[in-house]
Amino acid sequence: MEMNATLPYYINTTNVIEHVDNFATLRQSLKIISLIIYSLAFVLAFLPLSVTYTALDFHWPFGNFMCKLNSSLTYLNMFASVYILVVISVDRCVSVVWPVWAQNHRSVRKASCVSLGVWALALILSTPYFVFRDTAPLYDIILCFNNFALSDDYETPSVILLRQFRNQAMTITRFLLGFVVPFTVIVSCYAVIIHRLKRNRTLASQSSRPFKIIAVVIITFFLCWAPFHIIALIESASHIGTEPSLTFRYVITIGVPIATSLAFINSCLNPLLYVFMGKDFKDKIRKSILSVLETVFQEDSSSQSR
C-alpha cells in the first residue's frame, strides 16, 4: 500500500478495469474526502504532488524521477516524524526520572546531533521507496507504483514471486520499524513518567493535565498509524493465493484512503500536542529538580551536623 496511491503494486489490466467499473462511485467519493484532507495537510506539510495526483484520479504527469522522489520524501517524513516522537518521549522520560542529570548534560549541540541521526535513519529506511518506485502507462493515464521486480515482466512466475516477496518484506519491515518498535518505546517511556509522577504525590496532586496529554499523545499515535499499517499488511497478504473476494476489495478500497489520510493528519497533530505538552512538563520538571536539590541539601546539612 502506498501513502499516495490506492492501486496495487502490480499492473493487471483485467483487475484494474473490473476494479474501476465496480467501485467507480465509491472511489469518487473517497477521492473527494482524500482531497479535502490532503489539502488540509498541504497547508501544514506541503503535499502539492499528492493533492494533484489524487485530483487527477491517480494520473501522474510529473515524470519518473518525481514519482520516485515524491514517494521517498513521503516515507522520509513518516519515519522522521515517528522517530522524532520517540526521541521526544525518551527525552521527557529522562528529564522526569533523572532531572539533575538531564539539566547538566542536555545541550543544543547534543539535541542537534540526535536530530541529525533521526533524519539519517529515516533517509536510510526511505531509500528503498526511491529505488522501487516507477511509472507506467495504462490506457490514458500514467501510474506511479511500486515496481518491486524492477521489470516490465508481469507473467513469469519467478518474477511474480520476487514482487510478492519484496512487497511483503518492505511491508513487514515498515510495520515493525515504523510502528511496533516506536509505539513500544513511546508507551514504555510514558508509563515510566506516569509512575514517577504518581510516586511524587505533590506533583501528581497539583494537576492531572500531564496524564491527559500523555494519554492523548499515545492514543493519537495509535489511531493514526495502526490503520495504515494494518491495511498495508492485509493488502500485502491479498497478493498471495486466490483472487480476493468482492467484500475484501471493498474493504481495501475504503480502507486505503482513510488510513492514508489518518497517517497524514498525525503529522499535523503532533506539533499542536507537544506545544500544549511543553509548558506543563517544563513546570513539572523544574519543580522536580527543585525537590531533588532540596532533598540533597537537607541530607548534606544533616551529615554535617553529625
Side-chain angles (χ1 to χ4, degrees):
M1 187 181 79
E2 282 303 311
M3 297 183 74
N4 53 2
T6 58
L7 292 174
Y9 68 88
Y10 55 84
I11 299 178
N12 186 312
T13 305
T14 303
N15 288 344
V16 170
I17 294 174
E18 182 182 355
H19 185 79
V20 172
D21 290 341
N22 291 338
F23 307 115
T25 303
L26 178 61
R27 289 188 66 223
Q28 183 65 23
S29 301
L30 292 171
K31 186 184 78 171
I32 294 172
I33 295 173
S34 297
L35 275 173
I36 295 172
I37 296 175
Y38 288 4
S39 299
L40 167 65
F42 167 70
V43 174
L44 299 173
F46 305 103
L47 296 169
L49 298 182
S50 295
V51 172
T52 304
Y53 187 44
T54 306
L56 295 177
D57 200 17
F58 304 104
H59 165 64
W60 186 262
F62 305 110
N64 185 270
F65 176 78
M66 291 304 296
C67 170
K68 291 176 174 290
L69 183 64
N70 184 61
S71 181
S72 57
L73 287 179
T74 299
Y75 282 102
L76 175 67
N77 175 71
M78 184 199 81
F79 284 115
S81 63
V82 167
Y83 279 102
I84 285 174
L85 281 180
V86 171
V87 170
I88 292 175
S89 302
V90 173
D91 179 69
R92 300 295 192 197
C93 183
V94 171
S95 299
V96 171
V97 176
W98 299 289
V100 177
W101 184 92
Q103 184 74 10
N104 293 332
H105 291 83
R106 293 165 72 209
S107 65
V108 175
R109 181 178 181 181
K110 291 180 180 177
S112 300
C113 292
V114 172
S115 299
L116 184 62
V118 168
W119 282 102
L121 176 62
L123 181 62
I124 293 172
L125 294 175
S126 61
T127 298
Y129 298 95
F130 184 89
V131 174
F132 292 121
R133 203 67 171 164
D134 199 1
T135 56
L138 180 66
Y139 298 113
D140 57 343
I141 67 172
I142 297 176
L143 300 179
C144 179
F145 68 107
N146 281 329
N147 187 354
F148 286 113
L150 300 176
S151 170
D152 295 331
D153 183 356
Y154 300 95
E155 297 180 358
T156 304
S158 60
V159 178
I160 294 175
L161 288 176
L162 178 62
R163 294 179 191 277
Q164 293 175 351
F165 173 77
R166 287 179 175 174
N167 178 45
Q168 293 162 20
M170 290 187 65
T171 302
I172 293 173
T173 301
R174 185 175 62 219
F175 174 64
L176 293 176
L177 298 183
F179 180 76
V180 174
V181 173
F183 185 70
T184 301
V185 174
I186 290 172
V187 171
S188 300
C189 287
Y190 287 130
V192 172
I193 291 173
I194 291 174
H195 176 70
R196 179 53 63 97
L197 290 179
K198 284 187 175 180
R199 284 181 57 187
N200 192 325
R201 295 181 179 180
T202 302
L203 295 178
S205 62
Q206 289 176 356
S207 175
S208 61
R209 189 163 175 259
F211 304 103
K212 294 179 181 178
I213 297 179
I214 287 171
V216 170
V217 170
I218 293 175
I219 292 172
T220 300
F221 182 91
F222 182 82
L223 292 181
C224 287
W225 284 113
F228 172 79
H229 291 287
I230 291 172
I231 289 292
L233 289 171
I234 293 174
E235 189 187 35
S236 176
S238 71
H239 300 316
I240 305 174
T242 60
E243 188 74 12
S245 65
L246 186 63
T247 302
F248 183 86
R249 292 186 185 181
Y250 266 114
V251 172
I252 294 298
T253 302
I254 296 173
V256 168
I258 293 177
T260 301
S261 299
L262 285 174
F264 278 137
I265 288 175
N266 182 253
S267 297
C268 303
L269 292 178
N270 287 333
L272 300 178
L273 290 175
Y274 279 98
V275 164
F276 289 109
M277 192 181 205
K279 185 179 183 301
D280 200 68
F281 257 89
K282 287 180 181 178
D283 293 340
K284 299 300 176 187
I285 293 169
R286 188 180 298 110
K287 292 177 182 178
S288 179
I289 293 173
L290 292 176
S291 177
V292 171
L293 291 176
E294 183 180 354
T295 302
V296 171
F297 287 136
Q298 287 177 352
E299 292 177 354
D300 185 62
S301 299
S302 300
S303 62
Q304 288 180 358
S305 62
R306 293 175 185 175

